Amino acid sequence: MSKRLIAVLLTALLLTGLLAGCGGNANGPANDNEQKAENVFVTIATGGTAGTYFPLGGALADIWTNNISNVNSTAQTTGASVANVNLLRNGEVEVVFVQNDIAYYAANGIEMFQDNKYEDIKGLATLYPETIQIITLEGKKIDSLEDLKGKKVAVGAAGSGTEANARQILEAAGITYDDISVQYLSFSEAANNLKDGNVDAAFVTAGFPTAAVQDIAAQHKVKLLTVDDALADKLIEKYPFYVKTVIPADTYNGMAEDVKAVSVMSMLAVSSNLDEEIAYNLLKTMYENPDRLKAAHSMGALIKAETGRDGMSIDLHLGADKYFKEGK
């Protein structure tokens, strides 16, 4: 090859490099700012449409989409806590609603996550108490947990946090699934089957009032079974995530007296792989829009920064840790 041809080729290569340096790359972003402007998609895994997670998830999607630049967020209905953990693990969603006990089980590889530990699950914030409500109807002759023996009992969807709660509470009361006719039904399915007489009682884990229970109470006189102090103490001794709760009279139509119950904490969890700045902004923006949360569900009034670490059962995500430390 002649020296003249070599010189021409070198000149052409030099000109190509200069053009690229001036932003002439049509196949990619010209600079970091352009790359940062790319849309970020945040899918929120909630629960059944008749529960509390779904309306609050819809509110969060609105808040994040409308108030964080380049974030597009949507909420999807799911099988709730346990299913949500698996969706997060598989990278199908970015944010999940989950009970604090289920999150702990996942992070530590115990209970339903035995030999299936998910160490990358991290906490964003705790939200509000989720009360285990044990619903039956007047006329069923069910006045206590003991009376559930031999009855058709909806214990929650298979693989859900509600099902774990039902099993643990029944265990504390000396009742196994062999003693009842187990029905694996979601909130809305349980409500419909109670109304139709296909089940005798149902476990519902959600902030009260719960839409599924309100739906039943609109047509039938409901009765909530009591978890007395002795039973609650026995339960908490083995499962320390539970706390004693009182469901006030008049929470549901025809409910004349307070009812003792137990609760776990609802929370938001994310993967450790979520960008720290994004996690920080999601949390910050959620707390800056309390009215939208309150409008979605009464439990939204309990979502506050000052209680966002109460009952946190797993390590915080770095972005959440940064937010809460700044708030001190």
PDB file of all heavy atoms in Angstrom, residues 123-154:
ATOM      1  N   GLY A 123     -36.277  -3.304  52.287  1.00  0.00           N
ATOM      2  CA  GLY A 123     -37.422  -2.513  52.691  1.00  0.00           C
ATOM      3  C   GLY A 123     -37.372  -1.095  52.140  1.00  0.00           C
ATOM      4  O   GLY A 123     -36.311  -0.473  52.099  1.00  0.00           O
ATOM      5  N   LEU A 124     -38.538  -0.608  51.721  1.00  0.00           N
ATOM      6  CA  LEU A 124     -38.674   0.798  51.340  1.00  0.00           C
ATOM      7  C   LEU A 124     -39.312   1.566  52.488  1.00  0.00           C
ATOM      8  O   LEU A 124     -38.807   2.609  52.905  1.00  0.00           O
ATOM      9  CB  LEU A 124     -39.516   0.926  50.067  1.00  0.00           C
ATOM     10  CG  LEU A 124     -39.428   2.252  49.309  1.00  0.00           C
ATOM     11  CD1 LEU A 124     -38.002   2.501  48.817  1.00  0.00           C
ATOM     12  CD2 LEU A 124     -40.393   2.250  48.121  1.00  0.00           C
ATOM     13  N   ALA A 125     -40.415   1.043  53.028  1.00  0.00           N
ATOM     14  CA  ALA A 125     -41.078   1.673  54.177  1.00  0.00           C
ATOM     15  C   ALA A 125     -42.172   0.747  54.689  1.00  0.00           C
ATOM     16  O   ALA A 125     -42.749  -0.031  53.922  1.00  0.00           O
ATOM     17  CB  ALA A 125     -41.694   3.010  53.780  1.00  0.00           C
ATOM     18  N   THR A 126     -42.460   0.840  55.982  1.00  0.00           N
ATOM     19  CA  THR A 126     -43.669   0.200  56.507  1.00  0.00           C
ATOM     20  C   THR A 126     -44.804   1.212  56.396  1.00  0.00           C
ATOM     21  O   THR A 126     -44.580   2.426  56.397  1.00  0.00           O
ATOM     22  CB  THR A 126     -43.498  -0.261  57.957  1.00  0.00           C
ATOM     23  OG1 THR A 126     -43.032   0.827  58.764  1.00  0.00           O
ATOM     24  CG2 THR A 126     -42.508  -1.409  58.057  1.00  0.00           C
ATOM     25  N   LEU A 127     -46.034   0.706  56.291  1.00  0.00           N
ATOM     26  CA  LEU A 127     -47.165   1.570  55.964  1.00  0.00           C
ATOM     27  C   LEU A 127     -48.206   1.669  57.078  1.00  0.00           C
ATOM     28  O   LEU A 127     -48.457   2.745  57.604  1.00  0.00           O
ATOM     29  CB  LEU A 127     -47.831   1.062  54.679  1.00  0.00           C
ATOM     30  CG  LEU A 127     -46.914   0.935  53.453  1.00  0.00           C
ATOM     31  CD1 LEU A 127     -47.668   0.307  52.288  1.00  0.00           C
ATOM     32  CD2 LEU A 127     -46.339   2.286  53.069  1.00  0.00           C
ATOM     33  N   TYR A 128     -48.826   0.560  57.439  1.00  0.00           N
ATOM     34  CA  TYR A 128     -49.932   0.573  58.409  1.00  0.00           C
ATOM     35  C   TYR A 128     -50.156  -0.852  58.905  1.00  0.00           C
ATOM     36  O   TYR A 128     -49.722  -1.820  58.273  1.00  0.00           O
ATOM     37  CB  TYR A 128     -51.216   1.113  57.755  1.00  0.00           C
ATOM     38  CG  TYR A 128     -51.631   0.329  56.536  1.00  0.00           C
ATOM     39  CD1 TYR A 128     -52.392  -0.837  56.646  1.00  0.00           C
ATOM     40  CD2 TYR A 128     -51.221   0.718  55.260  1.00  0.00           C
ATOM     41  CE1 TYR A 128     -52.729  -1.577  55.529  1.00  0.00           C
ATOM     42  CE2 TYR A 128     -51.559  -0.018  54.146  1.00  0.00           C
ATOM     43  CZ  TYR A 128     -52.319  -1.169  54.287  1.00  0.00           C
ATOM     44  OH  TYR A 128     -52.642  -1.907  53.180  1.00  0.00           O
ATOM     45  N   PRO A 129     -50.849  -0.989  60.035  1.00  0.00           N
ATOM     46  CA  PRO A 129     -51.157  -2.347  60.522  1.00  0.00           C
ATOM     47  C   PRO A 129     -52.162  -3.036  59.612  1.00  0.00           C
ATOM     48  O   PRO A 129     -53.112  -2.416  59.136  1.00  0.00           O
ATOM     49  CB  PRO A 129     -51.773  -2.106  61.910  1.00  0.00           C
ATOM     50  CG  PRO A 129     -51.420  -0.708  62.269  1.00  0.00           C
ATOM     51  CD  PRO A 129     -51.300   0.049  60.986  1.00  0.00           C
ATOM     52  N   GLU A 130     -51.928  -4.324  59.350  1.00  0.00           N
ATOM     53  CA  GLU A 130     -52.878  -5.142  58.612  1.00  0.00           C
ATOM     54  C   GLU A 130     -53.499  -6.134  59.594  1.00  0.00           C
ATOM     55  O   GLU A 130     -52.809  -6.947  60.185  1.00  0.00           O
ATOM     56  CB  GLU A 130     -52.175  -5.899  57.496  1.00  0.00           C
ATOM     57  CG  GLU A 130     -51.736  -5.025  56.356  1.00  0.00           C
ATOM     58  CD  GLU A 130     -51.403  -5.867  55.139  1.00  0.00           C
ATOM     59  OE1 GLU A 130     -52.336  -6.346  54.496  1.00  0.00           O
ATOM     60  OE2 GLU A 130     -50.213  -6.042  54.878  1.00  0.00           O
ATOM     61  N   THR A 131     -54.782  -6.029  59.740  1.00  0.00           N
ATOM     62  CA  THR A 131     -55.470  -6.806  60.764  1.00  0.00           C
ATOM     63  C   THR A 131     -56.043  -8.084  60.178  1.00  0.00           C
ATOM     64  O   THR A 131     -56.644  -8.069  59.097  1.00  0.00           O
ATOM     65  CB  THR A 131     -56.599  -5.970  61.392  1.00  0.00           C
ATOM     66  OG1 THR A 131     -56.020  -4.780  61.953  1.00  0.00           O
ATOM     67  CG2 THR A 131     -57.300  -6.738  62.497  1.00  0.00           C
ATOM     68  N   ILE A 132     -55.844  -9.178  60.894  1.00  0.00           N
ATOM     69  CA  ILE A 132     -56.427 -10.450  60.478  1.00  0.00           C
ATOM     70  C   ILE A 132     -57.861 -10.481  60.997  1.00  0.00           C
ATOM     71  O   ILE A 132     -58.103 -10.564  62.202  1.00  0.00           O
ATOM     72  CB  ILE A 132     -55.624 -11.653  61.001  1.00  0.00           C
ATOM     73  CG1 ILE A 132     -54.211 -11.657  60.395  1.00  0.00           C
ATOM     74  CG2 ILE A 132     -56.322 -12.958  60.637  1.00  0.00           C
ATOM     75  CD1 ILE A 132     -53.192 -10.838  61.112  1.00  0.00           C
ATOM     76  N   GLN A 133     -58.792 -10.351  60.070  1.00  0.00           N
ATOM     77  CA  GLN A 133     -60.215 -10.318  60.402  1.00  0.00           C
ATOM     78  C   GLN A 133     -60.818 -11.681  60.074  1.00  0.00           C
ATOM     79  O   GLN A 133     -60.688 -12.172  58.952  1.00  0.00           O
ATOM     80  CB  GLN A 133     -60.904  -9.222  59.593  1.00  0.00           C
ATOM     81  CG  GLN A 133     -60.284  -7.840  59.833  1.00  0.00           C
ATOM     82  CD  GLN A 133     -60.667  -6.846  58.743  1.00  0.00           C
ATOM     83  OE1 GLN A 133     -61.817  -6.422  58.661  1.00  0.00           O
ATOM     84  NE2 GLN A 133     -59.710  -6.473  57.913  1.00  0.00           N
ATOM     85  N   ILE A 134     -61.469 -12.281  61.057  1.00  0.00           N
ATOM     86  CA  ILE A 134     -62.058 -13.614  60.889  1.00  0.00           C
ATOM     87  C   ILE A 134     -63.565 -13.423  60.835  1.00  0.00           C
ATOM     88  O   ILE A 134     -64.205 -13.132  61.842  1.00  0.00           O
ATOM     89  CB  ILE A 134     -61.636 -14.552  62.027  1.00  0.00           C
ATOM     90  CG1 ILE A 134     -60.112 -14.484  62.228  1.00  0.00           C
ATOM     91  CG2 ILE A 134     -62.077 -15.983  61.735  1.00  0.00           C
ATOM     92  CD1 ILE A 134     -59.623 -15.147  63.511  1.00  0.00           C
ATOM     93  N   ILE A 135     -64.116 -13.563  59.640  1.00  0.00           N
ATOM     94  CA  ILE A 135     -65.486 -13.159  59.359  1.00  0.00           C
ATOM     95  C   ILE A 135     -66.412 -14.366  59.253  1.00  0.00           C
ATOM     96  O   ILE A 135     -66.071 -15.363  58.595  1.00  0.00           O
ATOM     97  CB  ILE A 135     -65.572 -12.376  58.029  1.00  0.00           C
ATOM     98  CG1 ILE A 135     -64.442 -11.345  57.916  1.00  0.00           C
ATOM     99  CG2 ILE A 135     -66.942 -11.728  57.868  1.00  0.00           C
ATOM    100  CD1 ILE A 135     -64.481 -10.267  58.942  1.00  0.00           C
ATOM    101  N   THR A 136     -67.572 -14.268  59.874  1.00  0.00           N
ATOM    102  CA  THR A 136     -68.631 -15.234  59.663  1.00  0.00           C
ATOM    103  C   THR A 136     -69.952 -14.468  59.644  1.00  0.00           C
ATOM    104  O   THR A 136     -69.952 -13.234  59.703  1.00  0.00           O
ATOM    105  CB  THR A 136     -68.628 -16.334  60.742  1.00  0.00           C
ATOM    106  OG1 THR A 136     -69.600 -17.335  60.399  1.00  0.00           O
ATOM    107  CG2 THR A 136     -68.930 -15.775  62.119  1.00  0.00           C
ATOM    108  N   LEU A 137     -71.054 -15.178  59.528  1.00  0.00           N
ATOM    109  CA  LEU A 137     -72.367 -14.542  59.474  1.00  0.00           C
ATOM    110  C   LEU A 137     -73.216 -14.982  60.658  1.00  0.00           C
ATOM    111  O   LEU A 137     -73.073 -16.108  61.158  1.00  0.00           O
ATOM    112  CB  LEU A 137     -73.091 -14.904  58.172  1.00  0.00           C
ATOM    113  CG  LEU A 137     -72.405 -14.578  56.851  1.00  0.00           C
ATOM    114  CD1 LEU A 137     -73.296 -15.007  55.683  1.00  0.00           C
ATOM    115  CD2 LEU A 137     -72.081 -13.099  56.754  1.00  0.00           C
ATOM    116  N   GLU A 138     -74.078 -14.088  61.099  1.00  0.00           N
ATOM    117  CA  GLU A 138     -75.051 -14.465  62.111  1.00  0.00           C
ATOM    118  C   GLU A 138     -75.887 -15.625  61.572  1.00  0.00           C
ATOM    119  O   GLU A 138     -76.234 -15.661  60.392  1.00  0.00           O
ATOM    120  CB  GLU A 138     -75.966 -13.279  62.440  1.00  0.00           C
ATOM    121  CG  GLU A 138     -75.275 -12.144  63.183  1.00  0.00           C
ATOM    122  CD  GLU A 138     -74.965 -12.479  64.633  1.00  0.00           C
ATOM    123  OE1 GLU A 138     -75.455 -13.525  65.122  1.00  0.00           O
ATOM    124  OE2 GLU A 138     -74.228 -11.710  65.273  1.00  0.00           O
ATOM    125  N   GLY A 139     -76.180 -16.563  62.433  1.00  0.00           N
ATOM    126  CA  GLY A 139     -76.957 -17.723  62.005  1.00  0.00           C
ATOM    127  C   GLY A 139     -76.101 -18.931  61.689  1.00  0.00           C
ATOM    128  O   GLY A 139     -76.629 -20.046  61.531  1.00  0.00           O
ATOM    129  N   LYS A 140     -74.774 -18.739  61.593  1.00  0.00           N
ATOM    130  CA  LYS A 140     -73.882 -19.858  61.323  1.00  0.00           C
ATOM    131  C   LYS A 140     -73.529 -20.641  62.589  1.00  0.00           C
ATOM    132  O   LYS A 140     -72.907 -21.702  62.521  1.00  0.00           O
ATOM    133  CB  LYS A 140     -72.580 -19.347  60.675  1.00  0.00           C
ATOM    134  CG  LYS A 140     -72.724 -18.834  59.255  1.00  0.00           C
ATOM    135  CD  LYS A 140     -72.939 -19.984  58.279  1.00  0.00           C
ATOM    136  CE  LYS A 140     -72.924 -19.507  56.838  1.00  0.00           C
ATOM    137  NZ  LYS A 140     -73.131 -20.623  55.882  1.00  0.00           N
ATOM    138  N   LYS A 141     -73.918 -20.093  63.745  1.00  0.00           N
ATOM    139  CA  LYS A 141     -73.621 -20.721  65.038  1.00  0.00           C
ATOM    140  C   LYS A 141     -72.120 -20.894  65.248  1.00  0.00           C
ATOM    141  O   LYS A 141     -71.652 -21.908  65.752  1.00  0.00           O
ATOM    142  CB  LYS A 141     -74.341 -22.065  65.169  1.00  0.00           C
ATOM    143  CG  LYS A 141     -75.860 -21.948  65.127  1.00  0.00           C
ATOM    144  CD  LYS A 141     -76.532 -23.293  65.295  1.00  0.00           C
ATOM    145  CE  LYS A 141     -78.057 -23.140  65.258  1.00  0.00           C
ATOM    146  NZ  LYS A 141     -78.764 -24.440  65.416  1.00  0.00           N
ATOM    147  N   ILE A 142     -71.385 -19.866  64.836  1.00  0.00           N
ATOM    148  CA  ILE A 142     -69.937 -19.827  65.051  1.00  0.00           C
ATOM    149  C   ILE A 142     -69.642 -18.618  65.929  1.00  0.00           C
ATOM    150  O   ILE A 142     -69.786 -17.474  65.497  1.00  0.00           O
ATOM    151  CB  ILE A 142     -69.176 -19.714  63.712  1.00  0.00           C
ATOM    152  CG1 ILE A 142     -69.476 -20.922  62.828  1.00  0.00           C
ATOM    153  CG2 ILE A 142     -67.677 -19.590  63.963  1.00  0.00           C
ATOM    154  CD1 ILE A 142     -68.860 -20.831  61.437  1.00  0.00           C
ATOM    155  N   ASP A 143     -69.258 -18.895  67.173  1.00  0.00           N
ATOM    156  CA  ASP A 143     -69.009 -17.810  68.128  1.00  0.00           C
ATOM    157  C   ASP A 143     -67.546 -17.709  68.541  1.00  0.00           C
ATOM    158  O   ASP A 143     -67.169 -16.751  69.221  1.00  0.00           O
ATOM    159  CB  ASP A 143     -69.877 -18.010  69.380  1.00  0.00           C
ATOM    160  CG  ASP A 143     -71.367 -17.987  69.059  1.00  0.00           C
ATOM    161  OD1 ASP A 143     -71.795 -17.070  68.334  1.00  0.00           O
ATOM    162  OD2 ASP A 143     -72.088 -18.892  69.516  1.00  0.00           O
ATOM    163  N   SER A 144     -66.742 -18.694  68.180  1.00  0.00           N
ATOM    164  CA  SER A 144     -65.330 -18.706  68.561  1.00  0.00           C
ATOM    165  C   SER A 144     -64.538 -19.495  67.537  1.00  0.00           C
ATOM    166  O   SER A 144     -65.103 -20.179  66.666  1.00  0.00           O
ATOM    167  CB  SER A 144     -65.155 -19.350  69.937  1.00  0.00           C
ATOM    168  OG  SER A 144     -65.469 -20.740  69.870  1.00  0.00           O
ATOM    169  N   LEU A 145     -63.216 -19.405  67.627  1.00  0.00           N
ATOM    170  CA  LEU A 145     -62.368 -20.180  66.727  1.00  0.00           C
ATOM    171  C   LEU A 145     -62.617 -21.674  66.876  1.00  0.00           C
ATOM    172  O   LEU A 145     -62.584 -22.425  65.893  1.00  0.00           O
ATOM    173  CB  LEU A 145     -60.893 -19.857  66.998  1.00  0.00           C
ATOM    174  CG  LEU A 145     -60.401 -18.491  66.536  1.00  0.00           C
ATOM    175  CD1 LEU A 145     -58.996 -18.209  67.057  1.00  0.00           C
ATOM    176  CD2 LEU A 145     -60.412 -18.386  65.022  1.00  0.00           C
ATOM    177  N   GLU A 146     -62.879 -22.120  68.085  1.00  0.00           N
ATOM    178  CA  GLU A 146     -63.153 -23.529  68.332  1.00  0.00           C
ATOM    179  C   GLU A 146     -64.337 -24.023  67.495  1.00  0.00           C
ATOM    180  O   GLU A 146     -64.357 -25.165  67.020  1.00  0.00           O
ATOM    181  CB  GLU A 146     -63.438 -23.751  69.818  1.00  0.00           C
ATOM    182  CG  GLU A 146     -63.712 -25.187  70.215  1.00  0.00           C
ATOM    183  CD  GLU A 146     -62.494 -26.091  70.143  1.00  0.00           C
ATOM    184  OE1 GLU A 146     -61.351 -25.558  70.128  1.00  0.00           O
ATOM    185  OE2 GLU A 146     -62.680 -27.322  70.083  1.00  0.00           O
ATOM    186  N   ASP A 147     -65.299 -23.139  67.270  1.00  0.00           N
ATOM    187  CA  ASP A 147     -66.496 -23.507  66.501  1.00  0.00           C
ATOM    188  C   ASP A 147     -66.221 -23.677  65.016  1.00  0.00           C
ATOM    189  O   ASP A 147     -67.113 -24.110  64.268  1.00  0.00           O
ATOM    190  CB  ASP A 147     -67.595 -22.449  66.699  1.00  0.00           C
ATOM    191  CG  ASP A 147     -68.104 -22.390  68.125  1.00  0.00           C
ATOM    192  OD1 ASP A 147     -68.029 -23.417  68.827  1.00  0.00           O
ATOM    193  OD2 ASP A 147     -68.564 -21.309  68.545  1.00  0.00           O
ATOM    194  N   LEU A 148     -65.015 -23.337  64.557  1.00  0.00           N
ATOM    195  CA  LEU A 148     -64.682 -23.505  63.145  1.00  0.00           C
ATOM    196  C   LEU A 148     -64.439 -24.967  62.773  1.00  0.00           C
ATOM    197  O   LEU A 148     -64.456 -25.324  61.591  1.00  0.00           O
ATOM    198  CB  LEU A 148     -63.431 -22.692  62.790  1.00  0.00           C
ATOM    199  CG  LEU A 148     -63.561 -21.169  62.834  1.00  0.00           C
ATOM    200  CD1 LEU A 148     -62.225 -20.514  62.514  1.00  0.00           C
ATOM    201  CD2 LEU A 148     -64.631 -20.686  61.866  1.00  0.00           C
ATOM    202  N   LYS A 149     -64.227 -25.824  63.762  1.00  0.00           N
ATOM    203  CA  LYS A 149     -63.971 -27.239  63.481  1.00  0.00           C
ATOM    204  C   LYS A 149     -65.151 -27.839  62.719  1.00  0.00           C
ATOM    205  O   LYS A 149     -66.307 -27.649  63.085  1.00  0.00           O
ATOM    206  CB  LYS A 149     -63.729 -28.006  64.774  1.00  0.00           C
ATOM    207  CG  LYS A 149     -62.402 -27.676  65.440  1.00  0.00           C
ATOM    208  CD  LYS A 149     -62.166 -28.527  66.672  1.00  0.00           C
ATOM    209  CE  LYS A 149     -60.812 -28.240  67.304  1.00  0.00           C
ATOM    210  NZ  LYS A 149     -60.564 -29.059  68.517  1.00  0.00           N
ATOM    211  N   GLY A 150     -64.824 -28.516  61.629  1.00  0.00           N
ATOM    212  CA  GLY A 150     -65.847 -29.135  60.806  1.00  0.00           C
ATOM    213  C   GLY A 150     -66.511 -28.189  59.823  1.00  0.00           C
ATOM    214  O   GLY A 150     -67.392 -28.602  59.064  1.00  0.00           O
ATOM    215  N   LYS A 151     -66.101 -26.932  59.804  1.00  0.00           N
ATOM    216  CA  LYS A 151     -66.726 -25.926  58.937  1.00  0.00           C
ATOM    217  C   LYS A 151     -65.883 -25.684  57.680  1.00  0.00           C
ATOM    218  O   LYS A 151     -64.684 -25.972  57.636  1.00  0.00           O
ATOM    219  CB  LYS A 151     -66.894 -24.609  59.693  1.00  0.00           C
ATOM    220  CG  LYS A 151     -67.689 -24.716  60.985  1.00  0.00           C
ATOM    221  CD  LYS A 151     -69.136 -25.102  60.743  1.00  0.00           C
ATOM    222  CE  LYS A 151     -69.930 -25.074  62.045  1.00  0.00           C
ATOM    223  NZ  LYS A 151     -71.345 -25.458  61.835  1.00  0.00           N
ATOM    224  N   LYS A 152     -66.535 -25.103  56.659  1.00  0.00           N
ATOM    225  CA  LYS A 152     -65.834 -24.676  55.457  1.00  0.00           C
ATOM    226  C   LYS A 152     -65.252 -23.286  55.705  1.00  0.00           C
ATOM    227  O   LYS A 152     -66.004 -22.337  55.922  1.00  0.00           O
ATOM    228  CB  LYS A 152     -66.783 -24.639  54.268  1.00  0.00           C
ATOM    229  CG  LYS A 152     -67.319 -26.002  53.848  1.00  0.00           C
ATOM    230  CD  LYS A 152     -68.256 -25.864  52.660  1.00  0.00           C
ATOM    231  CE  LYS A 152     -68.795 -27.221  52.230  1.00  0.00           C
ATOM    232  NZ  LYS A 152     -69.735 -27.099  51.085  1.00  0.00           N
ATOM    233  N   VAL A 153     -63.927 -23.191  55.671  1.00  0.00           N
ATOM    234  CA  VAL A 153     -63.256 -21.947  56.045  1.00  0.00           C
ATOM    235  C   VAL A 153     -62.359 -21.470  54.903  1.00  0.00           C
ATOM    236  O   VAL A 153     -61.463 -22.191  54.455  1.00  0.00           O
ATOM    237  CB  VAL A 153     -62.416 -22.120  57.331  1.00  0.00           C
ATOM    238  CG1 VAL A 153     -61.773 -20.790  57.723  1.00  0.00           C
ATOM    239  CG2 VAL A 153     -63.271 -22.665  58.471  1.00  0.00           C
ATOM    240  N   ALA A 154     -62.591 -20.247  54.440  1.00  0.00           N
ATOM    241  CA  ALA A 154     -61.727 -19.628  53.430  1.00  0.00           C
ATOM    242  C   ALA A 154     -60.500 -19.065  54.143  1.00  0.00           C
ATOM    243  O   ALA A 154     -60.625 -18.191  55.006  1.00  0.00           O
ATOM    244  CB  ALA A 154     -62.480 -18.529  52.701  1.00  0.00           C
TER     245      ALA A 154
END
